[in-house]
Amino acid sequence: MNIHEYQAKEILSAYGIPVPRGRVALTADQVERAAKEMGGRCVVKAQIHAGGRGKAGGVKLVFHPEEAQNLAKELFGRSLVTPQTGPQGLRVRRILVEEAVEIAREFYLSMTLDRGSSRYILIASAEGGVEIEEVAAKTPEKIHTLSIDPLIGLRPYQARKIALALGLTGSVCEDCVSLILNLHKVLLEKDCSLVEINPLVVTKAGWLMAMDAKITFDDNAVFRHREYPDMMDYSQLDPLEINASKYDLAYIKLDGNIGCMVNGAGLAMATLDVLKECGGEPANFLDVGGGATREKVAEAFKIILQDGDVKGIFVNIFGGIMRCDIIAHGIIEAAAEVKCTLPIVVRMDGSQVEEGKRLLSESGLNVQCGDNLGDAAQRIVQMLKASNGDN
Amino acid sequence: MSILLNKQSKILVQGITGRSGLFHTQQCREYGSNIVAGVTPGKGGIHIEGIPVFNTVEEAVRYTEANVSMIFVPPPGAADAILECADCGLDLAVCITEGIPVRDMVPVKRILAASKMRLIGPNCPGVITPGECKVGIMPGHIHLPGKIGVVSRSGTLTYEAVKQLTDAGLGQSTCVGIGGDPIIGTNFVDVLKMFNDDPATEAVFMIGEIGGAAEEEAAFYIKEHMKKPVGAFIAGVTAPPGKRMGHAGAIITGGKGKAADKIRTLTECGVTVATSPTRMGEAMLEAMGKK
């Protein structure tokens, strides 16, 4: 789960990591007042769940409160498109107004999981303010990493080694040691998949400060963080994806016209692959869960049908120990409940397949059954081609 | 012969009194697995479906000599359940639980490095040695005893692969679902090594997906050490970058973890990769014909 820069900075600040003085604004007038408070000269930062905001015009230094207000009016009115947002961009609903800071040096600092070693890893670089992937590709020698042993934790001497490698000396070096240790605390106590400060700066006055911050929470840890759901900004998500997450369905909107319902993530991915191979365009990725219960199948149908682009539905359920007649009942009831008239192709496997197929064919729905994955995928693609021909 | 499980395996179930724990305990027993005990803290002393329930794994092991655990404990207590098994000297723990936080699994993985116990999962369908023993939630009836070792990061996609193998007359020695989480106890290479050393396994089918670099590591192992033919399928050729495709592990980041790269590396290392999920059985036959 992603949160905004200003929320990440609130967390860092609570853990003793210095951040610039700032205010979050929901309207252009609030932006103007906040700018006045900062003394006129300030940084206006659009809050969206994606990086690359600076180049897209979402982060600007302004010199007067009216200038801040005008910029805010423009930002609130549009979506910001960055290399990380996709072509539609993301709506700007909140703006962070911050004091302008005189920067002497910029660094990069982050902690995340290294899947290879199954440990958290610290990544630091003296090249701050640019994308770390770029630094890694061009000048890998400028990147310093540290693998954190979970049984020992992150020790001050290790943090000092990193601070020295960044070229820090004296009291700033010791400040950096505490900052690194505090960041590690955030990582663990807040169950983060990623904590990133980019850039971490030394100001001209000689203070360390987190100028930009990104935090991603581990979705699996929500049960022990009651505050997570309240921090969610739903304007940054597709409305259908929000709806799906309420029912614990993994749904991702895609660009095609075949609505897909599959049990299991791997099979769902493979199903998209087969549809594309047959010349079809999937409208979504949807995993109803390995068990595919009747309630989830019904909710999945509703979500798929809310997508106006969907012209046909492909259901691929490998029932396993669930009986196909029960799955068929679920599909029939769900389709009836949402008054689905679109063509449906069902591929089921598991026990009682024949009974399940009989139930579907006698249901009065516009439904066909495929004998196997390939056959079923070809059927739905052909059914859609045929109905296009009618128009 | 087989890997990980056989008729002699004595199985205990952690979380046996939960709904899915009990359901799958019954399913496994029907398949022929020797379920000797259940563990649910606070419910020790009762019997459920004739199976004695204990408060701790230690007690269960002392009274029943169980050597394998199947874990259905919900996410908040699952990491603890795994460590309890390791502490009691079990040979194998199969953790079905989905949704364990990464922060809980990091120390578990570190501690298991110094333990003799092997962990399969979490967030996996489990392990089955067809015709002998099943520890997991997979449907037994699609399997056929035979000579193909199957290893997969996925759940239902593995069932699809197994069914295609069975339909093609290719039975399985053991099928291992290693799980879709970012941190798992046993990876592709670990299982490939076991299959390589198992006289009952003549060929291996591997099912991977986008995200991470586990398939690439497997490919390099296969090239260097594998004595048996390997077929494979990688799901997610058409997945959009940056999106989490159901599994926490299945995400393409920074241009890494793409299906196309994995397929190329596997092919270069001598693996026959199915071009479509509808041709997994064919790919296995082709791989076996080649060598």
Side-chain angles (χ1 to χ4, degrees):
Chain A
M1 176 187 143
N2 292 316
I3 58 172
H4 285 301
E5 173 196 2
Y6 80 90
Q7 294 167 316
K9 282 178 168 169
E10 280 169 10
I11 293 173
L12 294 184
S13 185
Y15 279 79
I17 295 174
V19 299
R21 197 158 53 94
R23 278 205 183 279
V24 190
L26 299 168
T27 66
D29 288 342
Q30 283 182 338
V31 169
E32 188 206 10
R33 286 210 303 279
K36 260 183 203 153
E37 210 180 296
M38 302 297 155
R41 187 166 176 275
C42 61
V43 184
V44 172
K45 307 181 91 175
Q47 300 294 290
I48 56 167
H49 284 179
R53 293 171 301 164
K55 280 178 198 153
V59 179
K60 271 184 186 158
L61 176 69
V62 298
F63 297 90
H64 303 288
E66 300 100 273
E67 196 187 346
Q69 189 182 28
N70 288 336
L71 176 59
K73 273 183 192 157
E74 192 239 326
L75 285 172
F76 277 133
R78 70 179 177 110
S79 291
L80 209 55
V81 180
T82 84
Q84 295 180 20
T85 59
Q88 318 86 336
L90 286 168
R91 298 285 300 183
V92 180
R93 304 273 181 182
R94 300 169 207 204
I95 287 177
L96 175 63
V97 182
E98 276 187 346
E99 62 173 329
V101 174
E102 299 288 334
I103 297 167
R105 298 174 66 188
E106 295 186 298
F107 306 96
Y108 174 94
L109 178 64
S110 73
M111 294 178 197
T112 187
L113 177 75
D114 173 40
R115 291 173 51 152
S117 63
S118 297
R119 289 183 186 193
Y120 290 113
I121 185 173
L122 176 152
I123 304 168
S125 162
E127 295 276 305
V130 289
E131 279 195 37
I132 193 70
E133 287 84 359
E134 221 171 275
V135 183
K138 286 182 190 156
T139 48
E141 71 281 0
K142 287 187 177 161
I143 291 183
H144 310 279
T145 60
L146 175 70
S147 174
I148 303 166
D149 186 326
L151 300 188
I152 299 167
L154 184 57
R155 312 302 306 180
Y157 77 89
Q158 296 173 311
R160 192 168 296 115
K161 221 162 83 178
I162 294 293
L164 289 169
L166 293 178
L168 297 173
T169 52
S171 68
V172 184
C173 177
E174 284 313 298
D175 286 349
C176 188
V177 171
S178 336
L179 186 145
I180 288 172
L181 297 177
N182 287 332
L183 193 65
H184 183 239
K185 250 190 216 164
V186 173
L187 174 81
L188 295 184
E189 288 178 11
K190 295 290 176 190
D191 272 295
C192 305
S193 312
L194 171 74
V195 289
E196 182 182 68
I197 303 177
N198 187 25
L200 169 70
V201 305
V202 177
T203 65
K204 284 196 175 153
W207 301 105
L208 267 180
M209 206 175 253
M211 287 299 288
D212 196 357
K214 181 179 176 183
I215 288 181
T216 307
F217 293 136
D218 179 354
D219 293 316
N220 286 346
V222 177
F223 68 83
R224 58 185 170 213
H225 296 280
R226 293 270 168 89
E227 73 278 16
Y228 279 9
D230 292 336
M231 296 180 81
M232 191 81 200
D233 179 1
Y234 289 101
S235 73
Q236 303 294 305
L237 292 177
D238 185 293
L240 291 178
E241 292 180 15
I242 298 167
N243 213 346
S245 70
K246 278 186 203 151
Y247 294 96
D248 214 13
L249 301 166
Y251 173 92
I252 294 168
K253 171 98 178 73
L254 302 170
D255 299 328
N257 59 6
I258 303 175
C260 297
M261 183 192 317
V262 189
N263 70 329
L267 190 60
M269 272 188 269
T271 302
L272 303 187
D273 296 343
V274 174
L275 284 172
K276 283 241 185 187
E277 191 196 346
C278 298
E281 286 296 330
N284 63 276
F285 166 96
L286 196 160
D287 171 13
V288 288
T293 60
R294 187 180 292 198
E295 297 76 28
K296 284 198 173 180
V297 169
E299 287 310 323
F301 255 106
K302 287 183 200 163
I303 287 160
I304 289 173
L305 288 172
Q306 278 167 25
D307 178 355
D309 297 335
V310 169
K311 299 284 180 270
I313 298 177
F314 186 58
V315 181
N316 182 15
I317 306 281
F318 206 113
I321 35 201
M322 272 191 75
R323 279 162 43 193
C324 289
D325 52 336
I326 293 177
I327 296 167
H329 273 302
I331 294 170
I332 293 165
E333 278 174 28
E337 196 188 328
V338 298
K339 300 191 174 60
C340 175
T341 53
L342 296 174
I344 304 173
V345 171
V346 178
R347 181 282 172 122
M348 293 186 296
D349 226 311
S351 59
Q352 311 284 330
V353 179
E354 291 312 316
E355 175 65 6
K357 282 186 181 173
R358 189 186 62 78
L359 285 169
L360 284 172
S361 65
E362 291 171 5
S363 65
L365 292 168
N366 185 6
V367 62
Q368 287 189 19
C369 290
D371 291 329
N372 56 47
L373 184 52
D375 172 55
Q378 268 160 11
R379 274 175 199 256
I380 186 73
V381 171
Q382 270 155 20
M383 275 170 97
L384 284 194
K385 273 191 191 145
S387 66
N388 271 344
D390 294 344
N391 292 337
Chain B
M1 275 287 288
S2 54
I3 66 167
L4 298 166
L5 289 178
N6 56 39
K7 276 200 179 105
Q8 277 72 48
S9 304
K10 286 185 171 180
I11 301 149
L12 69 85
V13 182
Q14 286 170 280
I16 194 170
T17 51
R19 196 165 57 106
S20 48
L22 182 58
F23 175 77
H24 289 291
T25 299
Q26 290 164 327
Q27 293 285 326
C28 290
R29 197 155 65 163
E30 270 174 37
Y31 194 76
S33 306
N34 183 18
I35 312 268
V36 297
V39 174
T40 300
K43 297 211 172 149
I46 65 168
H47 281 72
I48 190 161
E49 299 283 319
I51 301 164
V53 178
F54 300 88
N55 284 316
T56 64
V57 173
E58 188 186 10
E59 275 181 315
V61 171
R62 196 186 323 142
Y63 287 100
T64 67
E65 294 175 343
N67 68 333
V68 173
S69 176
M70 174 161 75
I71 302 176
F72 283 95
V73 176
D80 195 54
I82 297 168
L83 290 179
E84 188 181 0
C85 295
D87 199 22
C88 295
L90 296 194
D91 297 321
L92 173 69
V94 178
C95 185
I96 309 298
T97 310
E98 178 181 355
I100 305 177
V102 166
R103 190 236 285 175
D104 296 2
M105 282 307 297
V106 169
V108 167
K109 180 84 182 175
R110 170 75 166 83
I111 292 164
L112 289 186
S115 158
K116 77 174 182 79
M117 185 186 82
R118 176 164 291 289
L119 170 68
I120 302 287
N123 190 13
C124 76
V127 183
I128 182 169
T129 293
E132 290 193 42
C133 180
K134 144 176 142 113
V135 175
I137 58 175
M138 67 289 278
H141 67 88
I142 57 171
H143 296 80
L144 178 73
K147 293 164 181 173
I148 311 288
V150 176
V151 57
S152 170
R153 262 165 89 175
S154 169
T156 47
L157 180 58
T158 316
Y159 311 162
E160 174 72 40
V162 166
K163 183 165 189 301
Q164 287 184 25
L165 291 175
T166 297
D167 287 350
L170 298 168
Q172 305 91 42
S173 54
T174 302
C175 303
V176 187
I178 58 174
D181 274 3
I183 298 184
I184 48 176
T186 298
N187 60 28
F188 279 125
V189 174
D190 298 325
V191 179
L192 287 171
K193 278 182 192 163
M194 288 185 257
F195 280 139
N196 211 11
D197 296 338
D198 174 31
T201 300
E202 289 182 0
V204 176
F205 196 78
M206 175 179 137
I207 300 130
E209 60 188 33
I210 54 166
E215 288 80 3
E216 283 85 343
E217 283 161 26
F220 297 134
Y221 172 82
I222 291 165
K223 190 181 177 189
E224 291 297 316
H225 304 285
M226 203 71 189
K227 297 174 289 195
K228 303 169 184 183
V230 181
F233 174 70
I234 305 292
V237 179
T238 59
K243 293 280 190 180
R244 169 175 156 152
M245 302 297 269
H247 287 157
I251 182 166
I252 302 173
T253 47
K256 285 183 191 150
K258 280 186 204 150
D261 297 336
K262 290 175 187 288
I263 292 168
R264 199 187 51 238
T265 308
L266 283 164
T267 309
E268 282 168 5
C269 292
V271 176
T272 307
V273 184
T275 50
S276 158
T278 59
R279 287 191 286 275
M280 295 191 278
E282 286 171 39
M284 188 71 258
L285 283 171
E286 196 190 319
M288 294 172 78
K290 240 170 33 180
K291 293 214 175 179

